[in-house]
Amino acid sequence: MSDQAHVRTEHDLAPGEEEQHSVGERVIGYVVGLALALLLTATSFFIAGTDLVWQPSIPVALIVLAIAQMGVHLVFFLHITTGPDNTNNVLALAFGLLVVFLVVGGTVWIMAHLNQNMPPMDQIMPMRR
Amino acid sequence: MLGKLDWSAIPFDQPIPLIAGAVVLVAILAVLIWVVVKGHLPYLWHEWITSVDHKRIGVMYILLASVMLLRGGSDAIMMRIQQAVAFQSQGYLPPEHYNQIFSAHGTIMIFFVAMPFVIGLMNLIVPLQLGVRDVAFPTLNSVGFWLTATGALLVNLSLVIGEFARTGWLAFPPLSELSYSPGVGVDYYAWSLQISGVGTLVAGINLVTTVLKLRTRGMNYLRMPMFCWTTLASNLLIVAAFPILTATLAMLLLDRYLGFHFFTNEAGGNVMMFMNLIWAWGHPEVYILVLPAFGIFSEVVSTFSGKALFGYRSMVLATMAICVISFMVWLHHFFTMGAGPDVNAIFGIASMIIAIPTGVKIYNWLFTMYGGRIRFATPMLWSVGFMVTFIIGGLTGVLVAVPPADFMLHNSMFLVAHFHNVIIGGVLFGAFAGFEYWFPKAFGFRLDERWGKLAFWFTFLGFYVTFIPLYIAGMLGMTRRMQHYDVAAWRPWMLVAAVGMAVLTIGVICQVVQIVVSIRNREALRDRTGDPWDGRSLEWATSSPPPVFNFAFNPDVRGEDAYWDMKAHAKQQQLEHDRPEYQDIEMPRNSPTGFVCAFFATIMGFALIWHIWWMVILGGIGAFATFVVFAWRDHDEYVIPAEEVARIDRINIEERRRLVSMAGAV
Ligand code: HEM
Ligand SMILES: [Cu+2]
């Protein structure tokens, strides 16, 4: 609905709706994003198999790379910025992160306590008699 | 060729589903033949099936919900009768049939009654309240509706072809795994929910975007009607929670179809992970349902008290608080899993905290009524009935949120009474209040008040007579989902509950009669002004039913209760100011995308259930092709010329002038 009547304040734009740069600039933005994403992906695959780094650091490195990957997607493809025209999107992102944190964190915590009310196994065995 | 499908899938030996199925089939065929013979097919196709008008889609959602309410209600009647007679005997329903009925009942009532009812009302009303011409994604909206209908169709299909799940409405493993449920029942359940879940997610995205992005001039967040706020909160929850359901069911399906071991007993699967995930969706889900109902009550209470909503800002805050806290309590559904005192205590406390914003809301409604000039029209009756009933349901909720108490009451009839108490007393009463309140807006005539009030009183009383006994039976130790029992102490309460069910049924019949009577008398009940209840928000500023474009001019909003304001000003100025120049309006074109998509989704869902792989591929290709065709179309809008807009708008203005001058004369 391209309707002149639902006016938007300029602080209320959807991603990709910000004032249009020239096509060239936009293409460069996407290409940079793609390059970064590819670089991060390649690094992850490389790190996972390598023995050049201290082995226990590999999972941490993978997590860091994954988070960086999300950041690249958000900035270059979903056009999340910190500008005032992006309040809605940043809030939505924050809500999403909060939910993910609650559900994942809660799940890990709950499942770690799964067997709290079970008597220890070595006591069960003698009880069997 | 046909996978697992053969003649043994039709339950020739079970008369009840077969006869029920045959009756429904004949009814559908009769309606279809009538439609075709009378030449209504083009009208239905152009005006409804392919419509992308949010009002039409909303009405279709509500129609779907109403039809499914009758189906789910029949299941309920059968279960109540079974438990009334199955004392020290097998009753009339064999266990495998009884188990299918309670599973279908829960699934249908939550996913295909409560959800479409509230989504339908939101679709119908929110754009009007925001003062805009449509939702953000009109065609997507239609896709969402038709996918929901696909899910409902598949569930009903299971009545005559194959069987439905016997696992309860959440299909807990390991019972729902292949080793214990080898039939197609769980597959019917899971694929219906996967397909309709996509529809729900789409509806959620659409409504969130609509509230955030499409508001008329001056409609800033803190001027939005309460129903728009609760719509926002509820749909944010949909967007956040439904993917969890989809992922969980996908894992269950992987277990069943491809031999994975997410939730199996063997090979490192963990059934408790299913409980955890399904309730991480399940608790937000109950607030997805009840928040819109809270919004409806807010509108109704303030309209029929003739006062602005008391504590509007605290109401907004309470709504958003519930939105967040509802993600922090899910473990209260499995306290007895044994996660230990720390975990149980934290989640128990969080569950009690969520009752606080809910309590704030109750007080706000009470203070809105306090000192108001209250009119007890039918929507208001439902709202007051809700307040009384929901308080009881909320209190029993807080009770079972106390872990030690829950160890006694978990999965007892007490729990069954609790959630029916909040879902019937909250969601269903809300849906009915909204239905009675906005019916004139949707169809241009009011509903008969006398039958409406009768329907309310029978439903209200019937509810208590049915469910108070279940609380008591639960206290006496009766567990849920019993096909038969031998304990004499429970028997009288089951008999009382069956009587209550009969009273409830009378309530439903009254509601049907009300609609029939109102359609008959529609000329006398005609709402010419568009504002039958002396409303406060913008949906009443346009005619009933509204034109396709809702508003000739998008209204200017200067404060809360936008339309009430306008009326006050208009009375002073006698509607002197003329309207500015009319302009052409562009509206989205109708599109069969939703219907065609759902058609292929139905084929694909059915084929997946029966392992007919070539048909799965066919359905998948069809659905994808539909999407491509839609994405490549050129003309997605049509123009309503300014003269036409002017003509329609002038009629409305004339009627309103008359109303104002009459009010002035009094
Ligand atoms: C005052 C807030 C509420 C609290 C503290 C609360 C608490 C609880 C608890 C602790 C349970 C689990 C009991 C058990 O399994 O032993 C439960 C079950 C349930 N509640 Fe509530 N509840 C509240 C409001 C609601 C509302 C508003 C709804 C729906 C609109 C709702 C729907 C349900 C459902 C459907 C179940 C049972 C699901 C099942 O096991 O099949 N509750 N509630
Ligand atoms: Cu809950």
Side-chain angles (χ1 to χ4, degrees):
Chain A
M1 191 170 68
S2 66
D3 182 353
Q4 79 295 340
H6 57 261
V7 242
R8 300 197 171 96
T9 57
E10 65 228 58
H11 294 299
D12 200 16
L13 291 170
E17 227 174 37
E18 52 277 304
E19 83 280 16
Q20 300 290 329
H21 303 283
S22 67
V23 179
E25 271 178 63
R26 278 156 65 203
V27 170
I28 290 180
Y30 284 114
V31 170
V32 171
L34 182 65
L36 282 175
L38 284 177
L39 184 71
L40 288 166
T41 310
T43 319
S44 309
F45 274 96
F46 170 73
I47 295 254
T50 185
D51 46 13
L52 286 178
V53 296
W54 184 51
Q55 293 300 307
S57 73
I58 289 180
V60 182
L62 285 178
I63 290 170
V64 171
L65 285 166
I67 292 173
Q69 180 79 263
M70 291 180 213
V72 167
H73 283 241
L74 287 173
V75 171
F76 289 93
F77 303 143
L78 299 176
H79 305 280
I80 301 275
T81 66
T82 51
D85 58 340
N86 242 296
T87 323
N88 266 343
N89 300 320
V90 173
L91 278 179
L93 185 63
F95 178 67
L97 285 177
L98 176 68
V99 169
V100 169
F101 170 77
L102 286 174
V103 172
V104 175
T107 297
V108 169
W109 188 46
I110 291 167
M111 296 310 281
H113 285 69
L114 191 59
N115 297 331
Q116 274 259 316
N117 279 2
M118 297 265 275
M121 271 314 186
D122 48 353
Q123 288 178 26
I124 289 185
M125 288 309 158
M127 279 194 305
R128 277 261 175 89
R129 255 177 298 131
Chain B
M1 185 62 186
L2 285 179
K4 290 158 82 173
L5 188 59
D6 58 34
W7 285 111
S8 66
I10 316 260
F12 290 113
D13 52 332
Q14 291 172 32
I16 296 174
L18 212 61
I19 293 173
V23 169
V24 172
L25 213 67
V26 168
I28 292 176
L29 276 181
V31 171
L32 270 184
I33 291 172
W34 179 77
V35 163
V36 173
V37 169
K38 285 270 182 173
H40 291 314
L41 202 58
Y43 166 76
L44 270 187
W45 178 260
H46 292 295
E47 296 293 319
W48 292 93
I49 295 175
T50 62
S51 176
V52 297
D53 179 340
H54 69 92
K55 303 179 284 297
R56 295 273 161 94
I57 293 176
V59 168
M60 289 193 288
Y61 263 118
I62 294 170
L63 190 67
L64 173 72
S66 310
V67 171
M68 294 305 282
L69 180 64
L70 298 182
R71 160 81 212 269
S74 323
D75 290 340
I77 293 172
M78 289 171 77
M79 287 188 292
R80 279 284 126 253
I81 295 175
Q82 169 73 9
Q83 288 199 326
V85 296
F87 170 59
Q88 290 181 347
S89 77
Q90 283 293 316
Y92 72 109
L93 290 173
E96 70 279 358
H97 192 182
Y98 184 76
N99 295 357
Q100 284 183 48
I101 292 183
F102 70 64
S103 307
H105 169 76
T107 311
I108 287 174
M109 286 303 199
I110 296 285
F111 294 97
F112 301 114
V113 177
M115 286 299 280
F117 216 129
V118 295
I119 292 181
L121 287 171
M122 294 190 283
N123 245 306
L124 177 64
I125 293 304
V126 164
L128 291 169
Q129 286 197 333
L130 294 172
V132 295
R133 298 211 165 113
D134 211 327
V135 288
F137 309 113
T139 311
L140 202 64
N141 202 12
S142 153
V143 174
F145 166 71
W146 286 107
L147 288 181
T148 309
T150 292
L153 181 64
L154 286 177
V155 169
N156 284 315
L157 213 56
S158 73
L159 200 63
V160 273
I161 308 179
E163 48 161 11
F164 196 67
R166 303 169 191 176
T167 48
W169 73 285
L170 286 178
F172 289 162
L175 182 60
S176 57
E177 291 285 0
L178 209 51
S179 27
Y180 303 99
S181 299
V184 291
V186 177
D187 301 325
Y188 262 115
Y189 165 87
W191 288 115
S192 311
L193 295 196
Q194 290 297 56
I195 293 171
S196 69
V198 174
T200 306
L201 185 62
V202 159
I205 292 171
N206 188 18
L207 284 163
V208 169
T209 318
T210 304
V211 176
L212 291 182
K213 290 291 177 187
L214 305 183
R215 277 168 281 124
T216 186
R217 228 173 284 109
M219 179 66 82
N220 55 31
Y221 287 127
L222 285 175
R223 288 175 184 170
M224 291 198 303
M226 210 46 227
F227 185 54
C228 296
W229 269 108
T230 57
T231 296
L232 176 63
S234 164
N235 286 286
L236 279 174
L237 286 177
I238 288 183
V239 174
F242 264 76
I244 308 180
L245 175 70
T246 304
T248 312
L249 291 179
M251 284 185 257
L252 181 64
L253 285 167
L254 283 173
D255 280 5
R256 289 180 60 88
Y257 279 71
L258 296 175
F260 280 52
H261 292 280
F262 284 110
F263 310 125
T264 52
N265 273 340
E266 65 278 2
N270 192 337
V271 295
M272 292 324 292
M273 195 55 167
F274 185 93
M275 305 301 143
N276 176 63
L277 288 174
I278 204 86
W279 286 116
W281 159 82
H283 188 84
E285 164 68 10
V286 305
Y287 278 96
I288 289 170
L289 292 175
V290 87
L291 279 174
F294 287 170
I296 295 169
F297 295 125
S298 304
E299 304 293 315
V300 168
V301 168
S302 90
T303 300
F304 290 95
S305 305
K307 281 174 67 191
L309 188 65
F310 180 90
Y312 172 81
R313 287 181 184 226
S314 64
M315 207 71 139
V316 170
L317 209 66
T319 304
M320 295 325 271
I322 290 177
C323 182
V324 173
I325 303 175
S326 67
F327 265 106
M328 301 160 62
V329 300
W330 76 95
L331 180 122
H332 67 211
H333 293 274
F334 49 100
F335 280 139
T336 51
M337 174 176 107
D342 296 350
V343 177
N344 279 1
I346 294 288
F347 277 94
I349 292 166
S351 308
M352 293 172 212
I353 288 176
I354 204 168
I356 295 173
T358 315
V360 168
K361 282 172 174 262
I362 297 270
Y363 281 109
N364 280 340
W365 291 316
L366 289 177
F367 283 125
T368 306
M369 288 168 68
Y370 179 75
R373 216 189 285 153
I374 302 175
R375 290 170 288 160
F376 281 104
T378 317
M380 189 63 179
L381 281 186
W382 286 111
S383 305
V384 176
F386 149 79
M387 282 186 238
V388 177
T389 311
F390 195 82
I391 289 175
I392 302 174
L395 286 179
T396 57
V398 174
L399 188 77
V400 281
V402 179
D406 188 61
F407 272 68
M408 305 306 295
L409 295 168
H410 182 53
N411 275 350
S412 69
M413 288 307 260
F414 189 93
L415 166 77
V416 174
H418 155 67
F419 68 74
H420 284 86
N421 202 158
V422 279
I423 292 181
I424 296 180
V427 183
L428 209 62
F429 280 21
F432 288 159
F435 179 80
E436 302 279 327
Y437 182 54
W438 284 313
F439 188 92
K441 183 46 64 185
F443 292 103
F445 58 97
R446 270 188 262 195
L447 286 170
D448 187 271
E449 281 284 298
R450 208 163 57 93
W451 283 101
K453 286 182 176 158
L454 272 180
F456 166 74
W457 284 111
F458 276 111
T459 311
F460 184 72
L461 285 180
F463 167 78
Y464 282 96
V465 181
T466 311
F467 288 96
I468 297 292
L470 300 196
Y471 276 124
I472 299 170
M475 295 283 214
L476 294 175
M478 182 170 182
T479 53
R480 74 197 287 193
R481 296 172 177 165
M482 297 191 111
Q483 185 259 344
H484 69 113
Y485 55 92
D486 300 327
V487 179
W490 302 340
R491 183 78 197 284
W493 302 114
M494 292 302 108
L495 292 175
V496 178
V499 172
M501 191 68 226
V503 181
L504 264 175
T505 311
I506 298 176
V508 173
I509 293 173
C510 287
Q511 209 117 48
V512 175
V513 173
Q514 181 201 28
I515 296 172
V516 174
V517 167
S518 312
I519 294 178
R520 284 253 178 97
N521 297 342
R522 63 186 175 280
E523 283 317 318
L525 293 165
R526 184 76 60 197
D527 162 35
R528 295 187 191 287
T529 61
D531 183 18
W533 307 115
D534 199 7
R536 313 179 70 83
S537 42
L538 286 177
E539 76 267 33
W540 308 112
T542 183
S543 59
S544 302
V548 253
F549 47 81
N550 290 355
F551 302 96
F553 299 96
N554 289 64
D556 254 326
V557 175
R558 302 217 182 72
E560 286 167 39
D561 284 342
Y563 181 52
W564 189 259
D565 247 28
M566 284 179 198
K567 281 194 283 192
H569 285 112
K571 272 180 195 151
Q572 287 161 13
Q573 308 162 6
Q574 291 298 321
L575 269 177
E576 278 315 305
H577 62 285
D578 270 319
R579 298 229 151 181
E581 202 118 307
Y582 288 98
Q583 279 172 343
D584 294 355
I585 294 177
E586 283 183 355
M587 292 302 293
R589 241 176 227 287
N590 283 357
S591 160
T593 308
F595 187 76
V596 177
C597 240
F599 174 78
F600 286 114
T602 310
I603 291 184
M604 196 165 133
F606 184 80
L608 279 163
I609 291 163
W610 290 99
H611 297 228
I612 312 173
W613 305 118
W614 59 268
M615 211 156 125
V616 174
I617 296 169
L618 209 71
I621 292 177
F624 187 71
T626 315
F627 161 73
V628 171
V629 169
F630 170 70
W632 257 265
R633 72 176 181 169
D634 295 328
H635 303 287
D636 51 357
E637 290 184 334
Y638 69 101
V639 175
I640 303 173
E643 307 87 68
E644 175 68 5
V645 177
R647 190 184 64 75
I648 294 173
D649 196 41
R650 291 223 176 85
I651 303 174
N652 183 19
I653 292 183
E654 273 315 305
E655 295 285 356
R656 267 158 209 268
R657 281 242 169 81
R658 210 171 307 150
L659 174 78
V660 172
S661 60
M662 261 154 54
V666 174

